[in-house]
Amino acid sequence: AQVRFKLCCTGVTRLISQSTHLPLRLTMQRQERGCLPCTNCFATVPQDKWYAVENFGKYSHMLGPGLAFVGFDCCSCCISFRSITSRVEQNTVNVQTKTKDNVFVTCKVAVQQSVRPENAYDAMYKLANVREQIESYVSDVVRSSVPHMLLDEAFEKKDDISEAVQKKLEAEMTSYGFQIHKALVTELVPDASVVASMNEINKQKRLRDAAVMAAEAEKVRVVKAAEAAADASQLQGEGIARQRRAIVDGLRDSITHGTGEALSTDKISELLLITQYFETLRDIAANSKAQTVFLPHSASAVADVASQVRSGIMQAGAGSRM
């Protein structure tokens, strides 16, 4: 029954003490009570805290985790406790500053600190507000480093800023009993208008690159099409030349076969022109949508086709020179 009574009283005492504590995010220190009601003779220290024992308000000694007998006390008048956490805590500091190219940015720095076990007294009694002290040092370092950098350099050298902040905090906070584990620049946020401008610049750059690539692709397509057309024309010309050669050889053989005569170059040219003339007439007649210009023509003028073609070519050349 006595054990149950003590446990019940201890639970009630802890609930009362917790209700009177300030939130952890506001301060690292708390006023604590002993584990027995109406007295602070005994104290139960959690694993993640240190207790400072104060006799009539004066610091006496430090208590580690576990149950400890502190001394004789009456109604918590003689002995009081002050606790501080031994956990690693993180403070997030937002610092607004300006870069070298006159761009305002908000630098978000996360500082992770804890109390040194051997300097718990300094951590409890030297600083009134740890968070504000850390914010002051972080703001001083950031506002002295970032203004010497361009916006792009600030993004590239976040590690350098983090290292400078950590060195400054380690040098200053050690004397107050705090150990700085890490100082991280987690975010650099420029002004919203600057972000929109940067996005627009990148967008226009991507559009320009896309247009250049599309033009290059069109150029390659046109060049390849021209090369293909040139190759096709060359092959077509070679085929037509072979066709004409075969026609001329056939006409010459058919005309001179069995006679022993040899055709001159002029005669062969006339035969070739006449052949092309009749092929042209055939092609015009075969195409129903052809647009043609009819010239005077009769069957009796077939013998003079070559001279007519030469005369037309010469007249066209003379007209173009005039």
Side-chain angles (χ1 to χ4, degrees):
Q2 293 180 355
V3 173
R4 291 181 180 177
F5 175 76
K6 288 182 179 180
L7 292 175
C8 181
C9 292
T10 303
V12 172
T13 304
R14 288 184 177 177
L15 287 176
I16 295 174
S17 63
Q18 289 177 0
S19 65
T20 58
H21 291 162
L22 293 175
L24 182 60
R25 65 177 181 272
L26 296 180
T27 178
M28 298 180 66
Q29 299 184 30
R30 293 182 178 180
Q31 294 293 331
E32 304 287 352
R33 296 181 180 272
C35 59
L36 297 178
C38 302
T39 183
N40 285 337
C41 296
F42 290 90
T44 302
V45 182
Q47 182 63 40
D48 60 343
K49 290 184 179 180
W50 289 291
Y51 276 22
V53 181
E54 297 176 347
N55 294 328
F56 299 100
K58 182 180 180 181
Y59 172 78
S60 174
H61 59 281
M62 197 70 65
L63 294 179
L67 177 64
F69 173 75
V70 183
F72 296 100
D73 178 64
C74 179
C75 298
S76 304
C77 296
C78 303
I79 299 174
S80 59
F81 301 111
R82 188 191 299 263
S83 69
I84 192 168
T85 181
S86 61
R87 296 187 180 187
V88 177
E89 292 189 332
Q90 176 170 301
N91 290 326
T92 302
V93 183
N94 294 321
V95 183
Q96 188 175 19
T97 184
K98 185 178 72 170
T99 61
K100 189 176 181 180
D101 47 355
N102 296 324
V103 177
F104 284 91
V105 296
T106 300
C107 184
K108 188 176 181 180
V109 183
V111 180
Q112 300 168 357
Q113 84 277 352
S114 65
V115 177
R116 294 178 178 271
E118 65 274 12
N119 300 113
Y121 170 83
D122 296 332
M124 284 187 181
Y125 293 101
K126 279 192 174 183
L127 282 180
N129 193 314
V130 179
R131 180 181 179 84
E132 290 185 358
Q133 191 75 15
I134 290 177
E135 286 182 355
S136 300
Y137 289 131
V138 172
S139 300
D140 177 65
V141 174
V142 171
R143 287 173 179 160
S144 62
S145 300
V146 176
H148 297 286
M149 303 177 184
L150 299 175
L151 182 60
D152 294 338
E153 293 178 355
F155 280 98
E156 294 173 358
K157 297 181 179 180
K158 288 199 301 183
D159 293 339
D160 296 342
I161 301 173
S162 300
E163 185 177 354
V165 171
Q166 184 170 351
K167 287 182 178 179
K168 178 69 173 179
L169 290 176
E170 287 177 350
E172 299 295 338
M173 297 300 292
T174 301
S175 59
Y176 298 113
F178 287 93
Q179 177 183 359
I180 304 300
H181 297 275
K182 204 69 177 176
L184 303 173
V185 178
T186 58
E187 196 172 0
L188 277 174
V189 183
D191 187 75
S193 59
V194 178
V195 174
S197 300
M198 293 174 65
N199 291 336
E200 186 65 23
I201 291 172
N202 290 329
K203 176 183 176 182
Q204 295 301 326
K205 182 179 179 181
R206 299 294 186 273
L207 291 175
R208 184 186 63 184
D209 294 342
V212 171
M213 294 180 68
E216 291 291 338
E218 182 66 17
K219 175 183 175 182
V220 172
R221 187 185 68 80
V222 171
V223 170
K224 292 299 181 183
E227 291 177 354
D231 294 340
S233 299
Q234 180 181 358
L235 294 176
Q236 184 180 7
E238 292 176 357
I240 292 174
R242 288 196 298 267
Q243 180 186 11
R244 297 290 184 267
R245 188 182 306 114
I247 292 172
V248 170
D249 291 341
L251 290 174
R252 182 177 56 191
D253 292 341
S254 63
I255 293 173
T256 61
H257 181 70
T259 62
E261 295 182 1
L263 294 178
S264 64
T265 305
D266 294 336
K267 294 293 184 180
I268 293 174
S269 299
E270 289 179 1
L271 287 174
L272 182 59
L273 288 173
I274 293 171
T275 302
Q276 291 178 347
Y277 177 75
F278 282 110
E279 286 181 355
T280 303
L281 294 178
R282 182 194 63 189
D283 294 338
I284 292 174
N287 191 357
S288 61
K289 297 182 180 180
Q291 297 180 358
T292 60
V293 178
F294 290 95
L295 300 175
H297 174 70
S298 63
S300 61
V302 173
D304 198 30
V305 169
S307 62
Q308 293 180 12
V309 172
R310 291 194 190 95
S311 177
I313 293 173
M314 292 176 64
Q315 290 178 3
S320 63
R321 287 194 295 272
M322 293 177 62

